[in-house]
Amino acid sequence: MLTADDIRREALAQPEAYEEPHFEKASFRVAKKIFCTLHADRPRIMLKLDPEDQHNLSDGDAIQPVPGHWGRNGATFVDYEKLAPERLPGLMRLAWASVAPKRLVKGSSPA
């Protein structure tokens, strides 16, 4: 089962990623843009995905669009205790790539 430490480690493994507070949550950013937030009160993260990727990945159990406007634009909740651990690196990479500068995305390969 994934933990908050696993989430933090995977987010910070992305090129030029850093952690910064975002209200009561930890956020992970690249070029000042958030690609992941880690909720403190429950085992949930929000990943910023391309809406098409979000649609293709939603499974109704571990991965669901955020309700409303944010969700229609790719904000996606992930219950990381229900997520298969091997899925985290790919999901985190998709979220990072959705906001990272093109020069970074082109210049890096998936971990």
Side-chain angles (χ1 to χ4, degrees):
M1 181 182 329
L2 292 166
T3 68
D5 288 339
D6 296 323
I7 301 301
R8 181 171 274 109
R9 188 171 25 262
E10 193 63 45
L12 294 173
Q14 305 308 310
E16 296 187 22
Y18 61 96
E19 183 174 348
E20 189 170 289
H22 181 68
F23 300 100
E24 72 284 355
K25 300 170 186 74
S27 75
F28 301 93
R29 304 167 186 239
V30 60
K32 300 182 182 178
K33 294 182 181 178
I34 295 173
F35 64 91
C36 176
T37 58
L38 176 60
H39 293 237
D41 61 340
R42 63 179 84 178
R44 181 167 81 177
I45 58 175
M46 185 286 302
L47 295 177
K48 174 65 175 102
L49 300 175
D50 177 271
E52 185 175 341
D53 288 335
Q54 177 197 60
H55 175 75
N56 293 332
L57 293 168
S58 295
D59 66 12
D61 190 32
I63 304 171
Q64 299 177 0
V66 170
H69 172 77
W70 288 103
R72 287 189 299 276
N73 287 311
T76 308
F77 283 140
V78 178
D79 181 335
Y80 59 81
E81 287 186 344
K82 294 179 181 176
L83 186 70
E86 62 272 9
R87 293 187 71 190
L88 181 62
L91 289 171
M92 194 66 73
R93 187 62 170 202
L94 281 173
W96 172 86
S98 76
V99 300
K102 292 190 187 320
R103 68 170 173 79
L104 281 180
V105 177
K106 286 178 80 172
S108 65
S109 59

